Amino acid sequence: MSINIEEVRKQFPILETQVYNKPLVYFDSAATTHKPQRVIDKIDEVYKTLNSNIHRGVHYLSNQATLAYEEARNKVQGFINAEHSHQVIFTSGATAAINLVANSFGETFINEGDEIVVSTMEHHSNIVPWQLLCQRKKAVLKVIPINQDGDLEMEAYKSLLSDKTKIVAVTHVSNALGTVNPIQDVIDLAHEKNIPVMVDASQSVQHIGIDVQKMDCDLLVFSGHKIYGPTGTGVCYGKEDLLNQMVPWQGGGEMIHKVSFTETTYNELPFKFEAGTPNIAGAIGLGEAIDFVSELGVDNIAAYEDELLQYATNKLMSIEGMRIIGTAKKKSSVISFLINDIHPFDIGTLLDRMGIAVRTGHHCAQPIMDLYEIPGTLRASIAVYNTKEEIDQLVAALTKVAVMFA
Ligand code: C6P
């Protein structure tokens, strides 16, 4: 089966939007994807027919809401092929999930002098929580360098792994360069030294798909809003043994077994890590988004998006002064670029006036910009609802802009 693009586009009401009287051309899906009608309807339905707190009430609505919430967890479990649904912890996003890991894993396992390995291409969300942990614990953050193409330096990575390394936290796909990292090698090399690996799948789960058992990652995080689900949703997956060993991070309702002033005991997985009333409608909406992606088929999405990425890369290269930032061997869904020395913000603003949405700036990945010695890039990011016609429009608009600045 291949992607029926008309059928896909029909499901996204926002694609009908006019921007400055021009049809919206949206190339900012790495920041957040749009939502299909079925996800919007599902959230609406929750508030109209199920609204109630979960895991608490004996009453009908509470039971219905609990069932729907747990069904959403089962959908995530199936989608990433986790062994058990209790290995899926709902969070408010990838950022919250990484903070959970940094705090909870960090509190449990990190001591003075220990080392944590991240890479140069991490999103700030996968740098700063570790820096905070290192400050607190007097641990050391080690950074895997990347080369000018935007590929991880694997030899340097190997040399960073030692007895002191307590965790490796690496992105699967770079949000700023589009690099698809050799994540299996990253994991296997760490495991040879019994070092656990956390994968940031924020930019891969919606494009490439994830099989946590096959990957054998120890922890994995992603945001719901980048996979056609609602904002304020996310997932932290973990191996059961590891999650059981990790102390809870946030305290509150739901995460406890028994509370007293002499001793408090904690709930079992996944509730130990879900303190307080969660984003119930959001999680159920995320479950619907996962159904949407599963029905299209991740492999079909990947094939379609790869074709668009290749098409866009070739077309963009024809523009005078084009410099693509990030030319890794394997890429997914993201093209970062500059034209001559025109500031990306200026180009982005002009594109916006033509109805074309791209992201400009450092994309919350400043160390990458430092490496390339640039202030930022323009980033066109692709989702399953984009078309070759839209790419043609982007290229035509950029050609016009380049001429204006010449
Ligand atoms: N990247 C982008 O435009 P949150 O904000 O929690 O949903 O996701 C954080 C995050 C973590 N890791 C990666 C690889 C990411 O790309 C992001 C979010 C967006 O590239 C917003 S800055």
Side-chain angles (χ1 to χ4, degrees):
M1 194 192 89
S2 57
I3 298 295
N4 180 338
I5 188 65
E6 278 86 36
E7 286 302 315
V8 169
R9 285 182 69 84
K10 263 198 263 172
Q11 298 187 54
F12 289 84
I14 206 166
L15 297 179
E16 300 299 316
T17 304
Q18 299 275 312
V19 177
Y20 311 114
N21 294 320
K22 294 178 186 70
L24 168 71
V25 174
Y26 186 78
F27 282 120
D28 196 19
S29 296
T32 196
T33 56
H34 290 311
K35 320 304 169 200
Q37 187 65 50
R38 59 192 282 179
V39 170
I40 300 166
D41 288 345
K42 183 52 84 176
I43 295 165
D44 194 49
E45 184 192 315
V46 172
Y47 285 115
K48 282 182 178 155
T49 67
L50 291 182
N51 182 48
S52 194
N53 213 326
I54 54 168
H55 301 131
R56 285 159 169 82
V58 288
H59 60 80
Y60 177 82
L61 274 187
S62 177
N63 285 332
Q64 294 299 306
T66 303
L67 284 175
Y69 184 80
E70 290 306 323
E71 192 190 327
R73 199 191 305 277
N74 294 339
K75 287 179 183 180
V76 175
Q77 176 207 350
F79 187 64
I80 62 171
N81 193 29
E83 209 176 340
H84 307 290
S85 64
H86 57 250
Q87 293 171 280
V88 172
I89 297 153
F90 282 126
T91 67
S92 65
T95 302
I98 298 168
N99 276 280
L100 187 165
V101 173
N103 281 278
S104 179
F105 180 96
E107 196 50 43
T108 315
F109 295 110
I110 303 291
N111 295 305
E112 187 170 343
D114 287 345
E115 294 179 358
I116 294 157
V117 172
V118 298
S119 85
T120 306
M121 72 173 84
E122 299 311 312
H123 186 277
H124 296 165
S125 293
N126 199 25
I127 299 175
V128 184
W130 300 111
Q131 287 178 324
L132 291 168
L133 174 68
C134 285
Q135 275 167 23
R136 233 176 26 248
K137 293 277 189 164
K138 298 197 175 67
V140 182
L141 195 63
K142 294 278 179 179
V143 185
I144 313 165
I146 60 174
N147 63 24
Q148 283 293 316
D149 288 332
D151 280 311
L152 285 179
E153 300 268 20
M154 291 302 281
E155 286 306 314
Y157 170 57
K158 276 188 219 168
S159 69
L160 287 179
L161 300 174
S162 77
D163 292 349
K164 289 187 185 162
T165 317
K166 290 294 174 301
I167 190 166
V168 172
V170 169
T171 195
H172 191 181
V173 171
S174 157
N175 71 314
L177 301 172
T179 307
V180 180
N181 282 323
I183 203 69
Q184 203 58 61
D185 295 341
V186 170
I187 294 168
D188 293 347
L189 285 164
H191 283 180
E192 279 173 21
K193 295 196 150 72
N194 290 322
I195 302 163
V197 178
M198 189 208 83
V199 176
D200 179 355
S202 300
Q203 299 291 353
S204 62
V205 69
Q206 67 282 49
H207 301 297
I208 298 176
I210 294 291
D211 182 329
V212 287
Q213 291 190 69
K214 195 165 155 216
M215 226 185 217
D216 199 28
C217 53
D218 302 273
L219 296 146
L220 179 132
V221 303
F222 65 91
S223 281
H225 71 96
K226 296 187 200 289
I227 181 168
Y228 310 101
T231 51
T233 63
V235 166
C236 176
Y237 154 87
K239 283 187 180 165
E240 189 172 25
D241 266 8
L242 184 60
L243 290 176
N244 276 327
Q245 288 175 70
M246 283 160 52
V247 295
W249 174 38
Q250 292 179 319
E254 193 60 28
M255 54 74 71
I256 51 86
H257 178 55
K258 187 176 181 306
V259 176
S260 79
F261 287 111
T262 46
E263 191 196 18
T264 291
T265 52
Y266 306 120
N267 206 339
E268 59 201 16
L269 293 175
F271 311 115
K272 181 171 102 171
F273 293 110
E274 290 184 2
T277 301
N279 184 352
I280 301 165
I284 298 168
L286 173 57
E288 190 66 23
I290 280 174
D291 282 347
F292 164 76
V293 171
S294 301
E295 286 168 28
L296 284 179
V298 177
D299 289 346
N300 295 320
I301 293 175
Y304 179 72
E305 291 179 351
D306 280 350
E307 195 182 319
L308 290 186
L309 183 69
Q310 202 51 54
Y311 182 80
T313 306
N314 293 339
K315 287 265 170 172
L316 286 171
M317 291 294 280
S318 68
I319 297 170
E320 189 71 25
M322 171 62 60
R323 179 182 167 202
I324 293 187
I325 309 292
T327 48
K329 287 191 272 301
K330 212 166 161 210
K331 286 180 67 174
S332 166
S333 64
V334 163
I335 310 180
S336 259
F337 58 92
L338 291 167
I339 302 178
N340 294 318
D341 55 0
I342 314 168
H343 198 284
F345 182 76
D346 293 337
I347 301 181
T349 306
L350 288 168
L351 288 180
D352 173 52
R353 286 282 151 182
M354 299 180 208
I356 301 174
V358 294
R359 188 169 167 188
T360 66
H362 55 61
H363 317 300
C364 301
Q366 281 180 336
I368 294 180
M369 305 306 144
D370 292 345
L371 176 80
Y372 288 98
E373 297 179 353
I374 51 178
T377 72
L378 285 129
R379 184 188 70 180
S381 53
I382 289 166
V384 71
Y385 40 66
N386 287 123
T387 63
K388 285 187 178 165
E389 291 69 37
E390 289 180 310
I391 292 166
D392 291 341
Q393 282 170 271
L394 171 68
V395 172
L398 285 170
T399 309
K400 223 190 250 178
V401 171
V403 170
M404 281 167 62
F405 278 93

